[in-house]
Amino acid sequence: DLGLSQVDKALLTLFRPTLHMLSFGELPHVRVAVRESINVVDGSRYTLIQVFDDFAMYLRGPVTDLADEKSGRLGVAFETVSVVPLRDPADVEALGIPCRQEITIRKPRSTYIDVTYLSPQLRVHKGASGKTYVLTRIPDDPDIAAPLRGR
């Protein structure tokens, strides 16, 4: 249950974000439930992969500020969004969601994460939204998203 209170669970039931909101206005107003999030920082590129039931959304952009030990802030400016179907692409496209197209975000937004704890196994950060995230490191894999892209 991710440690959510009863109130938080009730709010999540009432409020489900739309793909439009999560894609900075580039994808349709389809209600979604995030099943998994994967953060990939590869040099100067940042990819946020949000996995839903039938597809995954990729937000990509350059790292704008590298975190230093003093501030712990990592900035990113998302520039593109794309969707990869996890099941039949026709089902996803029937919702008005374009598949496997890199879409330029017309109004790119800069955002950041403040890294509050970092170890070889764990990263804790607070996003610009004010929410705190606890991430576990997976074994180094230069192409962690390959299984999603191949579908």
Side-chain angles (χ1 to χ4, degrees):
D1 71 359
L2 303 175
L4 298 175
S5 71
Q6 293 295 0
V7 171
D8 288 339
K9 288 177 190 175
L11 286 173
L12 283 175
T13 301
L14 293 173
F15 173 76
R16 286 186 37 196
T18 66
L19 199 54
H20 185 77
M21 180 187 82
L22 296 174
S23 69
F24 301 103
E26 296 304 324
L27 297 173
H29 291 275
V30 174
R31 292 217 180 271
V32 292
V34 178
R35 302 296 180 214
E36 181 179 9
S37 288
I38 302 167
N39 292 233
V40 180
V41 181
D42 183 16
S44 63
R45 299 292 298 169
Y46 188 98
T47 303
L48 171 61
I49 306 167
Q50 293 183 315
V51 181
F52 311 104
D53 289 329
D54 297 323
F55 57 91
M57 179 183 72
Y58 288 65
L59 286 166
R60 294 183 178 94
V63 172
T64 57
D65 297 304
L66 294 176
D68 59 44
E69 289 182 26
K70 186 176 180 182
S71 74
R73 180 163 285 186
L74 181 70
V76 63
F78 291 116
E79 296 176 334
T80 64
V81 61
S82 58
V83 171
V84 174
L86 301 177
R87 294 190 177 78
D88 186 352
D91 293 342
V92 178
E93 290 170 344
L95 297 171
I97 302 168
C99 293
R100 294 191 176 95
Q101 296 177 26
E102 192 105 44
I103 299 168
T104 300
I105 296 173
R106 289 173 283 184
K107 295 180 182 176
R109 298 199 186 141
S110 293
T111 187
Y112 63 88
I113 59 172
D114 287 329
V115 179
T116 56
Y117 178 80
L118 185 62
S119 77
Q121 297 82 27
L122 194 68
R123 178 176 82 204
V124 179
H125 73 252
K126 183 180 272 192
S129 66
K131 294 184 180 187
T132 299
Y133 300 87
V134 179
L135 299 98
T136 56
R137 184 178 300 272
I138 57 175
D140 285 340
D141 181 346
D143 201 14
I144 189 67
L148 293 176
R149 278 198 297 274
R151 294 183 181 182

